[in-house]
Amino acid sequence: MLMNEFIISLIKYTAIFICILYAYTKLMRIKLKAWDLFDIPLFMALSSVLYFVTVYVKMLVPIGLLIFGIAFLFLRFRKPFYETVTVGTIALGISIVAFASSLIFSFPIATALYLIKNEIVKNIITQSLISLIQMIVTFILFKIKRLQSGVNPKGDPATFEILLFFSVGCILTLMIVYTKNATQTIYETVLLVIALCGLLLILWWRKHITYNYREAVNRQNVNRMEDTIEEIKLNSVETDLQVAVYSKLFHFLNKAVPDCAYLAEIAAEKTGCEDACAARDMLRKILREMNIANEKCSLQNVPQTGERLIDVPIIQLFTVAERKSLNVSVDISADAKSWFSDGKLHKEDVHILLSYILDNAVISTLGLPNAKVRLELSSTKNKKPLIRVYDSGEQFDEEVLAKLGLEQITTRAGTGGNGIGLFTVFEILAKYGTSFTLDEDPQSFGFKKCIEIAFDGLCGFTVRTSRQSVAAACAARKGITVEPIDADGEEKRDGTNG
């Protein structure tokens, strides 16, 4: 009788181990090899051990199948322990379902086998039939499309958790089935509780691992997002820098190319040189491509210094005046050529400075009644170059004065201004340590403001104003001297100067 029970248990447990192996490999998408058939003798040996270990406590059979199955799968496939435990548990649950199904499907055949008189042979054949049907059912289960794709313990959490809960329930149910009778002994109850706690521990472990995995993924996503944002910021800074460089260059070309074209026109007319004519034609084409009108001044006796780079902005000033409602005047009382004799002051810088300041003055006045601009080139008391530009345009806003020279800020916000011109002017002023004075009441020729630039090396910055808001804005900045003017245009001498 014991031998009969041993053989039946051997067949039953071996079939379950085979189903566990097949289910595990399908769930983990592992391809079985031909030599995996040699695992069957090992399963028979494990089944023998399981039988003798659980011969007196049958309810431990499901736990034994789980422990032996997980140990075999871990040693055989070397997958992470967490994956082996959870997927192995699901594989055992599927095997139990297949075992229960085989009992139902084999019932009609098993009934017919009762005709066999030999009880031992009949039981062995019946169990073999049940095990064969169990393996067939397991094979058919994995023809289901959802199970064919396997499971991923770290992905598709909903499906995985349903399968794991279901498998734990199947194992627990099988333990209860293996209980001898409804009246359990205290030892069986303790074992059942311990097994239940172990199975629940697997479920908790799954939850814990899933939570840690999701936290790790979230941290990786956050880090990746932060790196992406940082890269975007760096790219944005680089792009902004490139735009700033190109904007400054294009702004300069808008002023310099027409001046070059004018000089080429003069050279071509005076000399008739083929190279000069070719340069003139090329510059005309460049002006057309840049959509800049190649205007010429027809006015005679335009005041000039004799230094071409300095005279070109003056001629351009008169060219604008000829075509716009603008009155211009130029007073040259200094020998501008002598400014550059020692090589300390560069003609190109003075050319850029005059071009930008005169351009701002013209734009500030155009469209206003009695628009006028005046340029004075003279000398300081110490015979240093001195430039004054008067205009009848609107005064600077206090916001502009508060940031003037510190950053690009335009006096023509909303009308195409970008602040490049004034910022470039202050770069040139800083290069030579010049003194800059803004006089909002020049008391000369009826102008509204005057910009004075003295190449004296003193690096001064003075604002003469009668506006309290401007005085407050400029006083908040270091390095600016504020000279308040009373309503009558007289500078206060009561010690309130900045």
Side-chain angles (χ1 to χ4, degrees):
M1 185 66 181
L2 289 176
M3 180 58 66
N4 180 32
E5 187 177 348
F6 171 73
I7 294 173
I8 291 173
S9 297
L10 191 66
I11 297 171
K12 183 194 303 182
Y13 299 159
T14 301
I16 292 176
F17 279 126
I18 292 173
C19 291
I20 291 173
L21 172 63
Y22 183 78
Y24 180 84
T25 55
K26 287 297 182 180
L27 291 171
M28 295 294 289
R29 296 182 294 278
I30 300 173
K31 189 174 181 180
L32 288 171
K33 308 294 183 180
W35 56 75
D36 284 311
L37 293 173
F38 292 103
D39 293 332
I40 295 177
L42 176 60
F43 291 154
M44 296 176 68
L46 290 174
S47 299
S48 301
V49 173
L50 182 62
Y51 171 76
F52 289 111
V53 169
T54 62
V55 65
Y56 296 109
V57 189
K58 288 291 186 181
M59 66 178 296
L60 290 181
V61 169
I63 296 299
L65 290 170
L66 180 63
I67 294 172
F68 286 168
I70 288 174
F72 166 78
L73 294 173
F74 181 74
L75 295 174
R76 170 65 180 84
F77 297 105
R78 299 291 181 178
K79 294 293 181 180
F81 187 65
Y82 160 72
E83 293 184 7
T84 305
V85 170
T86 53
V87 179
T89 302
I90 294 174
L92 176 57
I94 292 174
S95 300
I96 293 172
V97 171
F99 174 71
S101 302
S102 65
L103 292 176
I104 298 172
F105 294 137
S106 63
F107 181 76
I109 303 175
T111 303
L113 292 177
Y114 273 99
L115 298 174
I116 300 175
K117 300 300 182 181
N118 191 319
E119 194 69 23
I120 297 175
V121 173
K122 180 176 67 175
N123 291 339
I124 292 175
I125 294 174
T126 301
Q127 185 58 56
S128 300
L129 179 63
I130 292 172
S131 298
L132 179 61
I133 294 175
Q134 178 187 0
M135 290 186 284
I136 294 172
V137 169
T138 304
F139 177 79
I140 294 174
L141 281 175
F142 281 94
K143 292 299 180 180
I144 299 173
K145 188 175 181 180
R146 182 62 191 85
L147 290 177
Q148 282 181 339
S149 59
V151 294
N152 183 0
K154 295 180 180 179
D156 195 13
T159 302
F160 192 86
E161 289 181 5
I162 291 172
L163 288 173
L164 187 59
F165 273 99
F166 178 76
S167 300
V168 168
C170 290
I171 296 170
L172 186 60
T173 302
L174 189 61
M175 289 183 66
I176 295 173
V177 169
Y178 270 103
T179 303
K180 291 180 180 180
N181 50 57
T183 306
Q184 300 174 352
T185 65
I186 185 66
Y187 300 107
E188 288 175 328
T189 302
V190 170
L191 289 175
L192 187 62
V193 171
I194 292 173
L196 177 60
C197 291
L199 293 172
L200 291 176
L201 180 63
I202 293 176
L203 296 178
W204 173 85
W205 192 21
R206 158 66 184 172
K207 286 286 186 182
H208 178 70
I209 293 294
T210 302
Y211 174 79
N212 288 342
Y213 171 74
R214 289 175 180 172
E215 282 293 308
V217 170
N218 288 336
R219 283 194 298 270
Q220 289 178 356
N221 290 337
V222 169
N223 293 336
R224 192 179 298 114
M225 186 64 69
E226 289 177 349
D227 292 341
T228 302
I229 292 172
E230 192 64 29
E231 184 178 354
I232 291 173
K233 286 182 178 178
L234 291 175
N235 292 337
S236 177
V237 170
E238 184 179 355
T239 301
D240 291 343
L241 179 60
Q242 290 177 347
V243 169
V245 170
Y246 292 141
S247 297
K248 184 177 180 181
L249 177 61
F250 191 73
H251 191 272
F252 169 72
L253 291 176
N254 273 336
K255 301 293 184 294
V257 173
D259 293 347
C260 292
Y262 176 78
L263 295 175
E265 293 276 359
I266 294 176
E269 289 176 4
K270 285 186 175 181
T271 64
C273 174
E274 290 185 4
D275 292 340
C277 293
R280 175 199 61 194
D281 296 339
M282 181 64 71
L283 285 166
R284 284 176 178 175
K285 183 177 180 181
I286 292 173
L287 287 174
R288 287 194 299 270
E289 292 294 328
M290 295 176 67
N291 197 26
I292 299 176
N294 187 17
E295 298 176 341
K296 300 178 183 178
C297 180
S298 62
L299 298 175
Q300 301 298 319
N301 301 321
V302 174
Q304 298 185 38
T305 65
E307 193 64 60
R308 282 298 184 192
L309 280 179
I310 308 304
D311 291 336
V312 171
I314 298 174
I315 295 170
Q316 295 290 10
L317 177 64
F318 278 88
T319 302
V320 174
E322 187 178 2
R323 290 161 176 75
K324 308 283 185 180
S325 297
L326 176 67
N327 294 320
V328 299
S329 59
V330 175
D331 179 28
I332 303 173
S333 60
D335 181 10
K337 284 189 174 183
S338 65
W339 292 358
F340 315 106
S341 58
D342 58 2
K344 294 181 180 180
L345 183 60
H346 298 292
K347 304 173 188 178
E348 296 81 5
D349 290 334
V350 177
H351 167 261
I352 294 172
L353 190 148
L354 284 175
S355 296
Y356 286 171
I357 292 180
L358 289 173
D359 186 57
N360 279 343
V362 169
I363 295 173
S364 173
T365 59
L366 286 178
L368 297 177
N370 193 27
K372 55 185 177 179
V373 174
R374 178 177 175 81
L375 169 66
E376 292 182 359
L377 302 179
S378 59
S379 302
T380 65
K381 293 179 181 180
N382 296 325
K383 305 301 181 183
K384 299 295 183 181
L386 179 66
I387 299 172
R388 290 191 183 97
V389 177
Y390 300 84
D391 69 70
S392 61
E394 297 293 336
Q395 302 286 9
F396 292 126
D397 291 337
E398 49 266 30
E399 288 187 19
V400 174
L401 292 175
K403 300 179 181 179
L404 196 61
L406 299 178
E407 59 184 74
Q408 284 185 198
I409 184 165
T410 178
T411 58
R412 297 178 285 116
T415 58
N418 50 34
I420 294 176
L422 274 177
F423 191 74
T424 304
V425 166
F426 274 86
E427 285 181 335
I428 296 173
L429 300 184
K431 177 179 178 181
Y432 294 103
T434 58
S435 293
F436 176 89
T437 301
L438 171 63
D439 189 349
E440 293 190 346
D441 189 13
Q443 294 291 308
S444 176
F445 308 106
F447 292 102
K448 290 187 178 181
K449 63 179 180 289
C450 171
I451 290 177
E452 181 181 282
I453 296 172
F455 290 83
D456 53 10
L458 299 178
C459 302
F461 193 148
T462 304
V463 175
R464 297 183 70 247
T465 181
S466 59
R467 293 184 291 164
Q468 293 298 323
S469 60
V470 171
C474 294
R477 279 184 57 177
K478 292 183 179 180
I480 293 186
T481 300
V482 179
E483 296 182 356
I485 306 171
D486 62 19
D488 296 327
E490 293 295 331
E491 182 182 346
K492 292 182 180 179
R493 299 296 181 182
D494 58 359
T496 58
N497 292 357

